[in-house]
Coordinates of all heavy atoms in Angstrom, one line a residue:
S1 N -6.1 -1.6 0.1 CA -7.5 -2.0 -0.1 C -8.1 -2.6 1.2 O -8.9 -1.8 1.8 CB -7.5 -3.1 -1.2 OG -8.9 -3.5 -1.4
S2 N -7.8 -3.8 1.6 CA -8.4 -4.3 2.8 C -7.6 -5.4 3.5 O -6.7 -5.9 2.9 CB -9.8 -4.9 2.4 OG -9.6 -6.0 1.5
I3 N -7.8 -5.6 4.7 CA -7.2 -6.6 5.6 C -8.4 -7.3 6.3 O -9.2 -6.7 6.9 CB -6.3 -6.0 6.6 CG1 -5.1 -5.2 5.9 CG2 -5.6 -7.1 7.5 CD1 -4.2 -4.4 6.8
E4 N -8.4 -8.6 6.2 CA -9.6 -9.4 6.8 C -9.1 -10.5 7.7 O -8.1 -11.2 7.4 CB -10.4 -10.0 5.6 CG -11.0 -8.9 4.8 CD -12.0 -9.4 3.7 OE1 -12.8 -10.3 4.1 OE2 -12.0 -9.0 2.6
F5 N -9.8 -10.6 8.8 CA -9.5 -11.6 9.8 C -10.8 -12.4 10.1 O -11.9 -11.9 9.9 CB -9.2 -11.0 11.2 CG -8.0 -10.0 11.2 CD1 -8.2 -8.7 10.8 CD2 -6.8 -10.4 11.7 CE1 -7.2 -7.8 10.9 CE2 -5.7 -9.5 11.8 CZ -5.9 -8.2 11.4
A6 N -10.6 -13.6 10.6 CA -11.7 -14.5 11.1 C -11.4 -15.0 12.4 O -10.2 -15.3 12.7 CB -11.9 -15.6 10.1
K7 N -12.4 -15.1 13.2 CA -12.2 -15.7 14.6 C -11.6 -17.0 14.5 O -11.9 -17.9 13.7 CB -13.5 -15.8 15.3 CG -13.5 -16.3 16.7 CD -14.9 -16.3 17.3 CE -14.9 -16.9 18.7 NZ -16.2 -16.9 19.4
N8 N -10.6 -17.3 15.4 CA -9.9 -18.6 15.5 C -10.9 -19.5 16.3 O -10.9 -19.4 17.5 CB -8.6 -18.5 16.1 CG -7.8 -19.8 16.2 OD1 -8.4 -20.9 15.9 ND2 -6.6 -19.8 16.6
E9 N -11.7 -20.3 15.7 CA -12.7 -21.1 16.4 C -12.1 -22.1 17.4 O -12.8 -22.6 18.2 CB -13.6 -21.8 15.4 CG -14.4 -20.9 14.5 CD -15.4 -20.1 15.2 OE1 -15.7 -20.5 16.4 OE2 -15.9 -19.1 14.7
N10 N -10.8 -22.4 17.2 CA -10.2 -23.4 18.2 C -9.3 -22.7 19.2 O -8.6 -23.4 20.0 CB -9.3 -24.4 17.4 CG -10.2 -25.2 16.4 OD1 -11.1 -25.8 16.8 ND2 -9.9 -25.2 15.1
Y11 N -9.4 -21.4 19.3 CA -8.6 -20.6 20.2 C -8.9 -21.0 21.6 O -10.0 -21.3 22.0 CB -8.9 -19.1 20.0 CG -8.2 -18.1 20.8 CD1 -6.8 -18.2 20.9 CD2 -8.8 -17.2 21.5 CE1 -6.1 -17.2 21.7 CE2 -8.2 -16.3 22.3 CZ -6.8 -16.3 22.4 OH -6.2 -15.4 23.2
W12 N -7.8 -21.1 22.4 CA -7.9 -21.5 23.8 C -8.8 -20.7 24.7 O -9.4 -21.1 25.7 CB -6.5 -21.6 24.5 CG -5.8 -20.3 24.7 CD1 -5.0 -19.6 23.8 CD2 -6.0 -19.4 25.8 NE1 -4.6 -18.4 24.3 CE2 -5.2 -18.3 25.5 CE3 -6.7 -19.5 27.0 CZ2 -5.1 -17.2 26.4 CZ3 -6.6 -18.4 27.9 CH2 -5.8 -17.3 27.6
D13 N -9.0 -19.4 24.3 CA -9.8 -18.5 25.1 C -11.0 -17.9 24.2 O -11.2 -16.7 24.4 CB -8.9 -17.4 25.7 CG -9.6 -16.6 26.8 OD1 -10.5 -17.2 27.5 OD2 -9.2 -15.4 27.0
K14 N -11.6 -18.7 23.4 CA -12.5 -18.2 22.4 C -13.7 -17.5 23.1 O -14.4 -16.7 22.4 CB -12.9 -19.2 21.4 CG -13.7 -20.4 22.0 CD -14.0 -21.3 20.9 CE -14.8 -22.5 21.4 NZ -15.1 -23.5 20.3
E15 N -14.0 -17.8 24.3 CA -15.2 -17.2 24.9 C -15.1 -15.7 25.2 O -16.0 -15.0 25.4 CB -15.6 -17.9 26.3 CG -14.5 -17.8 27.4 CD -13.5 -19.0 27.3 OE1 -13.4 -19.6 26.2 OE2 -13.0 -19.4 28.4
H16 N -13.8 -15.2 25.1 CA -13.6 -13.8 25.3 C -13.4 -13.1 23.9 O -13.0 -12.0 23.8 CB -12.3 -13.6 26.1 CG -12.6 -13.8 27.6 ND1 -11.9 -14.7 28.3 CD2 -13.5 -13.2 28.4 CE1 -12.3 -14.7 29.6 NE2 -13.3 -13.8 29.6
V17 N -13.7 -13.9 22.8 CA -13.7 -13.2 21.5 C -15.1 -13.1 21.0 O -15.8 -14.1 20.7 CB -12.9 -14.1 20.5 CG1 -12.7 -13.4 19.1 CG2 -11.4 -14.4 21.0
H18 N -15.6 -11.9 20.9 CA -17.0 -11.6 20.7 C -17.3 -11.2 19.3 O -18.5 -10.9 19.0 CB -17.5 -10.6 21.7 CG -17.2 -10.9 23.1 ND1 -17.7 -12.0 23.8 CD2 -16.3 -10.4 24.0 CE1 -17.3 -12.1 25.0 NE2 -16.4 -11.1 25.2
V19 N -16.3 -11.0 18.5 CA -16.6 -10.7 17.0 C -16.1 -11.9 16.2 O -15.1 -12.5 16.5 CB -15.9 -9.4 16.6 CG1 -16.6 -8.2 17.4 CG2 -14.4 -9.4 16.8
D20 N -16.8 -12.1 15.2 CA -16.5 -13.3 14.3 C -15.6 -13.0 13.1 O -14.8 -13.8 12.7 CB -17.8 -13.9 13.8 CG -18.7 -14.4 14.9 OD1 -18.4 -15.4 15.6 OD2 -19.7 -13.7 15.2
T21 N -15.7 -11.8 12.6 CA -14.9 -11.3 11.5 C -14.5 -9.9 11.7 O -15.2 -9.1 12.4 CB -15.6 -11.5 10.2 OG1 -16.8 -10.6 10.2 CG2 -16.0 -12.9 9.8
V22 N -13.3 -9.6 11.1 CA -12.8 -8.2 11.2 C -12.4 -7.8 9.8 O -11.7 -8.6 9.1 CB -11.6 -8.1 12.1 CG1 -11.0 -6.6 12.1 CG2 -12.0 -8.4 13.5
K23 N -12.9 -6.7 9.3 CA -12.4 -6.2 8.0 C -11.9 -4.7 8.2 O -12.7 -3.8 8.7 CB -13.5 -6.2 7.0 CG -13.1 -5.7 5.6 CD -14.2 -5.8 4.6 CE -13.7 -5.3 3.2 NZ -14.7 -5.4 2.2
L24 N -10.7 -4.5 7.9 CA -10.1 -3.2 7.9 C -10.0 -2.7 6.4 O -9.5 -3.3 5.6 CB -8.7 -3.2 8.5 CG -8.6 -3.9 9.8 CD1 -7.2 -3.8 10.3 CD2 -9.5 -3.2 10.9
S25 N -10.6 -1.5 6.1 CA -10.6 -0.9 4.8 C -9.6 0.2 4.7 O -9.6 1.0 5.7 CB -12.0 -0.5 4.4 OG -12.9 -1.6 4.4
F26 N -8.9 0.3 3.6 CA -7.8 1.4 3.5 C -8.5 2.7 3.4 O -9.5 2.9 2.7 CB -7.0 1.1 2.3 CG -5.9 2.1 2.1 CD1 -4.8 2.1 2.9 CD2 -6.0 3.0 1.1 CE1 -3.8 3.0 2.8 CE2 -4.9 3.9 0.9 CZ -3.9 3.9 1.7
F27 N -8.0 3.6 4.1 CA -8.4 5.1 4.1 C -7.3 6.0 3.9 O -6.3 5.9 4.7 CB -9.1 5.3 5.4 CG -9.6 6.8 5.5 CD1 -10.5 7.3 4.5 CD2 -9.2 7.6 6.5 CE1 -11.0 8.6 4.6 CE2 -9.7 8.9 6.7 CZ -10.6 9.4 5.7
D28 N -7.3 6.7 2.8 CA -6.1 7.6 2.5 C -6.2 8.9 3.2 O -5.3 9.8 3.0 CB -5.9 7.8 1.0 CG -7.1 8.5 0.3 OD1 -8.0 9.0 1.0 OD2 -7.2 8.5 -0.9
G29 N -7.3 9.2 3.9 CA -7.4 10.4 4.6 C -7.9 11.6 3.8 O -8.0 12.7 4.3
Q30 N -8.2 11.4 2.6 CA -8.5 12.5 1.7 C -9.9 13.1 1.9 O -10.1 14.2 2.0 CB -8.3 12.2 0.2 CG -8.4 13.3 -0.8 CD -7.8 13.0 -2.1 OE1 -7.4 11.8 -2.4 NE2 -7.8 13.9 -3.0
D31 N -10.8 12.1 2.0 CA -12.3 12.5 2.1 C -12.6 12.4 3.6 O -12.9 11.3 4.1 CB -13.1 11.6 1.3 CG -14.6 12.0 1.3 OD1 -15.0 12.9 2.1 OD2 -15.4 11.4 0.6
Q32 N -12.6 13.5 4.3 CA -12.9 13.5 5.7 C -14.2 13.0 6.1 O -14.4 12.5 7.2 CB -12.7 15.0 6.3 CG -11.3 15.5 6.2 CD -11.2 16.9 6.6 OE1 -11.8 17.8 6.0 NE2 -10.5 17.1 7.7
G33 N -15.2 13.2 5.2 CA -16.6 12.8 5.6 C -16.8 11.3 5.3 O -17.9 10.8 5.8
K34 N -15.9 10.7 4.6 CA -16.1 9.3 4.2 C -16.4 8.3 5.4 O -17.3 7.5 5.3 CB -15.0 8.8 3.3 CG -15.2 7.4 2.7 CD -14.0 7.0 1.8 CE -14.2 5.6 1.3 NZ -13.1 5.3 0.3
P35 N -15.5 8.3 6.4 CA -15.8 7.4 7.5 C -17.2 7.5 8.1 O -17.8 6.5 8.4 CB -14.7 7.7 8.6 CG -13.6 8.4 7.7 CD -14.3 9.1 6.7
A36 N -17.6 8.7 8.4 CA -19.0 8.9 9.0 C -20.1 8.4 8.0 O -21.0 7.8 8.5 CB -19.1 10.3 9.4
E37 N -19.9 8.7 6.8 CA -20.8 8.3 5.8 C -20.9 6.8 5.7 O -22.0 6.2 5.6 CB -20.4 8.8 4.4 CG -20.6 10.4 4.3 CD -20.1 10.9 3.0 OE1 -19.6 10.1 2.2 OE2 -20.0 12.1 2.9
Q38 N -19.7 6.1 5.8 CA -19.7 4.6 5.8 C -20.3 4.0 7.0 O -21.0 3.0 7.0 CB -18.3 4.1 5.6 CG -17.7 4.4 4.2 CD -16.3 3.8 4.1 OE1 -15.4 4.0 5.0 NE2 -16.1 3.1 3.0
F39 N -20.1 4.7 8.2 CA -20.8 4.3 9.4 C -22.3 4.4 9.3 O -23.0 3.5 9.6 CB -20.3 5.1 10.6 CG -20.9 4.8 11.9 CD1 -20.4 3.8 12.7 CD2 -22.1 5.5 12.3 CE1 -21.0 3.5 13.9 CE2 -22.7 5.1 13.5 CZ -22.1 4.2 14.3
D40 N -22.7 5.5 8.7 CA -24.2 5.7 8.5 C -24.8 4.7 7.6 O -26.0 4.3 7.7 CB -24.4 7.1 7.9 CG -25.8 7.6 7.9 OD1 -26.5 7.4 8.9 OD2 -26.3 8.0 6.9
Q41 N -24.0 4.2 6.7 CA -24.5 3.2 5.7 C -24.3 1.7 6.3 O -24.7 0.8 5.6 CB -23.7 3.2 4.4 CG -23.9 4.6 3.7 CD -22.9 4.8 2.6 OE1 -22.0 4.0 2.3 NE2 -22.9 6.0 2.0
G42 N -23.8 1.6 7.5 CA -23.6 0.3 8.1 C -22.4 -0.4 7.7 O -22.2 -1.6 8.1
A43 N -21.5 0.3 7.1 CA -20.2 -0.3 6.5 C -19.1 -0.3 7.5 O -18.1 -1.1 7.4 CB -19.8 0.3 5.2
L44 N -19.2 0.6 8.6 CA -18.2 0.6 9.7 C -18.8 0.5 11.0 O -19.9 0.9 11.2 CB -17.4 2.0 9.5 CG -16.5 2.2 8.4 CD1 -15.9 3.6 8.5 CD2 -15.5 1.1 8.2
S45 N -18.1 -0.1 11.9 CA -18.6 -0.3 13.3 C -18.2 0.9 14.1 O -18.9 1.2 15.2 CB -17.9 -1.5 13.9 OG -18.2 -2.7 13.2
V46 N -17.2 1.7 13.7 CA -16.8 2.9 14.5 C -16.2 3.8 13.4 O -15.6 3.4 12.5 CB -15.8 2.5 15.6 CG1 -14.6 1.8 15.0 CG2 -15.4 3.8 16.3
A47 N -16.5 5.1 13.6 CA -15.9 6.1 12.7 C -15.5 7.3 13.4 O -16.2 7.8 14.3 CB -17.0 6.4 11.6

C-alpha cells in the first residue's frame, strides 16, 4: 500500500533536507500508464 516518512526536525544536518514528507505508494507494474497519470494529477513528484 504505502510507506510514509517525515522530516526529522531535530536532525543534525536538517538544512540539507529540503522535503518535509515522503510518501511511497505501492505499484504492481500492471498498469503502465498509471505513474504518468498520477504525476499529471499531482499525486507523484516523479514518474
